[in-house]
Amino acid sequence: MSSFGLGLFVICIVGIFLDASHAQLQLNFYAKSCPKAEKIIEDYVHKHIPKAPSLAAALLRLHFHDCFVRGCDGSVLLNFTSSTKNQTEKVAIPNQTLRGFSFIDGVKKIVEAECPGVVSCADIVTLVARDSVVVTGGPFWNVPTGRRDGKISNASEALANIPPPTSNLSSLQTSFANQGLDLKDLVLLSGAHTIGVSHCSSFSTRLYNFTGVLGTQDPSLDSEYASNLKGKKCKSINDNTTIVEMDPGSFRTFDLSYYKLLLKRRGLFQSDAALTTSATTKSFINQLVKGSLEEFNAEFAKAMEKMGRIEVKTGSAGEIRKQCAFVNK
């Protein structure tokens, strides 16, 4: 075989392996190995989320924080263990307010009872996020499955990769680009803030200490909204317990209200306000506001499916954890 022929042969073989690896993330991956898995997960979500609707946003956030560190591999779920002495993603500052871990454990327990060692925690997180949004009246999107669970979780990587609520547009663009996501994805995925709540500590600097001098307020924040937040919600810069709706008035409804508030300078976080500081992102926001909810839902669904594919482990990579908080022994 000539060197050219050999090279072409190698390229073809590599291509086949790459395609095979990618192909292992597919719709109904568990159709034969655990045919009831997705229905079990869906039923669990439909049973429990209506009783604790704020968990829907928490589970969506959990999925986002998982995918932005080592890809969508369930690494955010891992606990610190004395054997490794490793501080996992869970303890990193961006993840200290994450919720939903026990919910994921509850799902895993039922799925394990049906099909031991088959369905990954990474897939459970991804499916639960989708089903939780659907329960709140939000869009359905396809979740190809076949993700495997990662074995590594480092707090330092979470701190480096998860964009904080104080981010400006440039740092947001970089964080998302590092994950293969563009500015349109950034605007669409930020739309998840249409549901859920936040602690005052995530944005109190905007109200009380914006320039580093106590008493300074972020001028990009609507003054009436700021006064309301300071007077009725976050009454001091040291408030770490009060919870505030991210989309006041419809924080349990998946709608376009979040984007309308952005245009009124009423985004809660600096990272929300940052979306209006570029002509490109502001144009996307205006298009969404002028369009229909159905159009937003369809676009949001595409962005979520794209995010769910970030650096997935398939084939023989990683493992299928028996318990989501621990790597297998």
Side-chain angles (χ1 to χ4, degrees), residues 158-207:
L159 191 60
N161 288 289
I162 296 169
T166 53
S167 298
N168 61 25
L169 188 70
S170 176
S171 60
L172 285 170
Q173 185 172 4
T174 300
S175 292
F176 275 65
N178 287 343
Q179 309 299 338
L181 302 170
D182 58 26
L183 285 174
K184 186 177 183 182
D185 297 320
L186 166 61
V187 170
L188 289 165
L189 293 171
S190 296
H193 289 175
T194 184
I195 55 172
V197 295
S198 168
H199 289 91
C200 292
S201 53
S202 294
F203 59 89
S204 58
T205 300
R206 296 188 79 193
L207 300 174

Side-chain angles (χ1 to χ4, degrees), residues 16-39:
I16 289 167
F17 275 111
L18 288 174
D19 284 346
S21 172
H22 192 71
Q24 285 168 331
L25 203 66
Q26 60 189 355
L27 290 172
N28 302 312
F29 178 83
Y30 300 108
K32 292 181 180 177
S33 58
C34 191
K36 295 180 182 176
E38 293 195 25
K39 185 69 167 65

Side-chain angles (χ1 to χ4, degrees), residues 253-303:
T253 310
F254 215 90
D255 56 24
L256 291 166
S257 173
Y258 165 77
Y259 295 111
K260 293 172 183 175
L261 290 172
L262 289 187
L263 296 176
K264 294 177 180 177
R265 301 190 297 122
R266 292 190 172 197
L268 195 59
F269 304 141
Q270 279 172 255
S271 57
D272 293 323
L275 301 180
T276 64
T277 61
S278 134
T280 304
T281 49
K282 195 167 186 179
S283 171
F284 287 142
I285 293 168
N286 278 310
Q287 286 173 35
L288 290 168
V289 168
K290 290 173 184 174
S292 67
L293 181 58
E294 289 72 25
E295 288 169 326
F296 164 59
N297 284 347
E299 291 295 317
F300 180 81
K302 279 190 257 181

Side-chain angles (χ1 to χ4, degrees), residues 8 56 66 90 98 114-115 119 122 126 138 140 154 177 192 198 203 208 214 256 277 280 287 289 302 308 322:
L8 191 61
D66 182 36
K90 265 187 181 180
L98 283 181
E114 176 72 18
C115 311
V119 181
T126 311
F140 174 94
N154 293 314
S198 168
F203 59 89
Y208 293 106
L214 202 60
L256 291 166
T277 61
T280 304
Q287 286 173 35
V289 168
K302 279 190 257 181
K322 293 181 176 67

Side-chain angles (χ1 to χ4, degrees), residues 199-235:
H199 289 91
C200 292
S201 53
S202 294
F203 59 89
S204 58
T205 300
R206 296 188 79 193
L207 300 174
Y208 293 106
N209 193 28
F210 187 66
T211 64
V213 177
L214 202 60
T216 54
Q217 186 173 295
D218 183 352
S220 72
L221 186 62
D222 176 71
S223 57
E224 187 180 334
Y225 183 42
S227 296
N228 183 277
L229 287 170
K230 288 198 284 190
K232 297 180 180 178
K233 300 286 186 179
C234 310
K235 296 180 180 179

Side-chain angles (χ1 to χ4, degrees), residues 111-168:
V111 173
E112 280 294 297
E114 176 72 18
C115 311
V118 174
V119 181
S120 70
C121 298
D123 274 341
I124 288 173
V125 169
T126 311
L127 288 162
V128 162
R130 190 271 311 277
D131 293 342
S132 296
V133 168
V134 170
V135 169
T136 68
F140 174 94
W141 62 89
N142 289 324
V143 175
T145 42
R147 294 166 191 77
R148 287 171 67 84
D149 298 321
K151 300 178 183 180
I152 299 169
S153 181
N154 293 314
S156 59
E157 293 178 352
L159 191 60
N161 288 289
I162 296 169
T166 53
S167 298
N168 61 25

